[in-house]
Amino acid sequence: MTYSFDILGISPLLHFFNQQHLQHSQQRQCVEYVGTRKCTLDAFIQSVEAVSPKRGWDVDDVVETVINFWVNNSDKISYWRERLKDAGKENLLVARIGDIEALRATFDALFNND
C-alpha cells in the first residue's frame, strides 16, 4: 500500500475532536486526520503511529511517508509552524494520512457528485 501525508491547516481543539467523532461515525475508508499542538516531526510520527494499527496500515511505511514529507517540504513546514504559533495554544495543526487509492476514490466521488 502507498500512503500520502499532507498538512492541511489549523483547527480549534474542540472543533477538531468534534469532526473526528463525526468522521468515525461515517467510517471513511483508509483516511485519517491527525492533530498535534507542536509542528515537529516527532509529534506527527507519534500521531500516525497511534492510528496506523487501527487501520491495518504498515506502521513503518506510514512513518516513512511522514519522514519523506518532512524532508521534502521544509518551506511548507516552516509556514505551518509559524501559523500554529500565531494561532495560540487552543489550536491544533491538522494533517491527513491515508492510502493513496482511497484518497483518489474520495476525491473522485467529490468531483463526480453533482
Side-chain angles (χ1 to χ4, degrees):
M1 207 178 303
T2 305
Y3 302 97
S4 171
F5 176 85
D6 200 9
I7 297 174
L8 302 177
I10 308 292
S11 175
L13 184 64
L14 290 176
H15 180 72
F16 176 76
F17 285 111
N18 285 336
Q19 290 300 103
Q20 285 294 90
H21 177 70
L22 289 173
Q23 177 192 344
H24 288 294
S25 66
Q26 294 171 356
Q27 289 302 317
R28 294 187 188 236
Q29 292 181 331
C30 297
V31 177
E32 191 72 45
Y33 295 90
V34 294
T36 180
R37 289 184 176 195
K38 295 187 258 179
C39 184
T40 65
L41 176 58
D42 289 342
F44 278 114
I45 287 175
Q46 288 176 348
S47 295
V48 299
E49 283 178 333
V51 299
S52 295
K54 297 175 193 172
R55 294 285 188 177
W57 293 342
D58 183 312
V59 177
D60 292 336
D61 286 349
V62 172
V63 169
E64 182 179 337
T65 300
V66 174
I67 292 170
N68 287 337
F69 175 87
W70 214 261
V71 169
N72 295 314
N73 293 284
S74 61
D75 290 343
K76 203 177 217 187
I77 293 161
S78 295
Y79 173 82
W80 285 115
R81 184 175 285 131
E82 289 302 312
R83 297 301 68 78
L84 183 60
K85 191 184 306 180
D86 294 342
K89 294 183 180 186
E90 294 301 316
N91 292 284
L92 297 174
L93 185 58
V94 178
R96 178 188 60 228
I97 184 79
D99 168 30
I100 286 182
E101 292 303 317
L103 286 170
R104 184 174 292 130
T106 300
F107 292 142
D108 286 345
L110 289 172
F111 290 122
N112 293 328
N113 191 8
D114 296 347

